[in-house]
């Protein structure tokens, strides 16, 4: 949540796309976009999240969030 404080404090309509993945040999990747624009403050948190998954091998998770903040 800390990585998203600034956007959540705004009054704009937000679409957030979150993606985290674990590949073979312990490689991790992440992507986050807010309203279609790269949002890098969330990347270390998404990678840490992927590192917490049990098991090995390929796995990925994707989440879309829509937030309508009150003006």
């Amino acid at each position: 949540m800390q990585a998203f404080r600034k956007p959540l404090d705004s009054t704009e309509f937000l679409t957030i796309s979150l993606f985290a993945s674990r590949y073979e040999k312990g490689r991790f990747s992440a992507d986050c976009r807010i309203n279609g624009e790269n949002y890098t403050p969330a990347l270390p948190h998404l990678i840490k999240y992927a590192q917490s998954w049990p098991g090995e091998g390929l796995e990925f998770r994707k989440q879309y969030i829509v937030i309508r903040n009150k003006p």
Side-chain angles (χ1 to χ4, degrees):
M1 288 301 294
Q2 194 172 24
F4 292 98
R5 181 59 41 211
K6 186 176 177 182
L8 290 175
D9 285 343
S10 75
T11 57
E12 68 178 298
F13 183 86
L14 302 173
T15 59
I16 303 172
S17 170
L18 304 168
F19 177 82
S21 62
R22 177 185 63 214
Y23 298 99
E24 302 293 331
K25 300 181 183 175
R27 293 183 312 122
F28 297 90
S29 180
D31 185 68
C32 179
R33 296 174 190 269
I34 296 180
N35 295 340
E37 301 291 325
N38 284 331
Y39 188 71
T40 58
L43 299 183
H45 302 282
L46 289 167
I47 289 174
K48 185 176 178 180
Y49 168 61
Q51 291 170 335
S52 74
W53 300 342
E56 298 178 4
L58 177 64
E59 183 174 349
F60 65 89
R61 299 178 188 178
K62 188 181 262 190
Q63 182 74 46
Y64 297 103
I65 303 165
V66 176
I67 299 172
R68 182 179 176 265
N69 290 320
K70 290 185 178 181

